[in-house]
Amino acid sequence: AYSLRPVGTRSPMSKSAFFLDRDGVIVREVNYLHKPEDVELIGQAAKAIKLINQAGYPVVIITNQAGVARGFYSETQVSEINAYILAKLEEGGARIDKVYYCPHHPTAGKEQYLKDCQFRKPNPGMLIRAAKELDLDLEASVFIGDNFSDVLAGQNAGTKTILVKTGYGEKVLANPEHVDLNPDALCDDLIGAVTHCFDSGWFKRGLRW
């Protein structure tokens, strides 16, 4: 059974958080996104994140960026795109607390990026690192993503998991290989996932919600 400690009794060093995949959840899925002109927020993504902000929970982006390993773009470009996405979200009143990305790939990488990395989803390394650096309680947190690797990363880290139908979500659902994936919830998009988290009682609503 899933148990979330009441907000009033949780240690300030042990916080619930929302972990979000980037591509296909916050922004439209573009094959190896690296150009600002290709950035498009999905639906009410900014509103969804703003609701989390208002409820007082940290929002952390967890994203694989194997395009670096494949030589399609640089880590500098990843940082620039992330900054651009965060600026677009801020225009909608939404704030991201931190972004973690993994530039490695186990078989298709070049030079130092050819690596079976503990941080590459479905491995839980990025979530574990975020928990240590930001004092987060993984068991009282949720990972929202559009791919099997997101759900598995969340499960491997001990979070609740939600699969959204945007991005690769519909294809994942249609793939018989993923029949046993078993996310904790299935939602249409990020705003639906965030609403589910509050409506289900997993998280407390903010006073300004």
Side-chain angles (χ1 to χ4, degrees):
Y2 181 74
S3 177
L4 179 64
R5 290 190 296 276
V7 172
T9 61
R10 187 185 304 122
S11 164
M13 297 297 286
S14 180
K15 299 173 288 189
S16 302
F18 283 74
F19 294 100
L20 310 180
D21 180 40
R22 193 191 77 178
D23 305 319
V25 176
I26 298 172
V27 296
R28 298 282 179 191
E29 176 62 45
V30 175
N31 201 22
Y32 298 110
L33 174 64
H34 64 284
K35 297 178 180 179
E37 58 266 30
D38 291 334
V39 172
E40 180 185 354
L41 297 182
I42 295 176
Q44 301 184 75
K47 179 181 178 182
I49 294 168
K50 183 178 179 180
L51 294 177
I52 302 171
N53 298 153
Q54 291 174 335
Y57 296 100
V59 184
V60 181
I61 290 177
I62 302 289
T63 177
N64 285 349
Q65 292 298 321
V68 175
R70 294 176 182 273
F72 297 153
Y73 47 82
S74 67
E75 288 196 66
T76 297
Q77 286 174 292
V78 173
S79 296
E80 290 172 348
I81 284 293
N82 285 338
Y84 186 80
I85 292 171
L86 266 57
K88 294 282 286 184
L89 289 170
E90 287 175 2
E91 291 174 5
R95 183 189 70 257
I96 298 296
D97 291 275
K98 196 156 185 177
V99 180
Y100 293 86
Y101 72 93
C102 178
H104 304 112
H105 193 281
T107 60
K110 295 182 179 180
E111 301 175 350
Q112 73 267 30
Y113 296 112
L114 178 60
K115 181 179 179 182
D116 187 7
C117 180
Q118 62 178 322
F119 296 105
R120 177 177 166 80
K121 297 177 293 183
N123 295 327
M126 285 189 280
L127 288 89
I128 293 172
R129 180 176 177 181
K132 290 179 179 178
E133 293 183 351
L134 304 177
D135 300 313
L136 305 176
D137 184 345
L138 290 172
E139 291 185 358
S141 298
V142 64
F143 194 115
I144 302 172
D146 69 315
N147 213 331
F148 71 95
S149 59
D150 300 319
V151 175
L152 290 176
Q155 291 173 343
N156 288 334
T159 72
K160 279 287 199 180
T161 57
I162 297 179
L163 181 70
V164 293
K165 296 180 182 179
T166 51
Y168 290 116
E170 293 280 10
K171 291 182 180 179
V172 170
L173 287 171
N175 189 335
E177 293 182 5
H178 302 145
V179 67
D180 295 325
L181 195 57
N182 294 324
D184 292 288
L186 175 65
C187 297
D188 288 336
D189 52 18
L190 182 55
I191 189 73
V194 170
T195 300
H196 176 82
C197 286
F198 291 118
D199 287 349
S200 66
W202 292 358
F203 293 82
K204 300 285 186 179
R205 294 181 185 270
L207 294 177
R208 292 169 290 174
W209 216 75

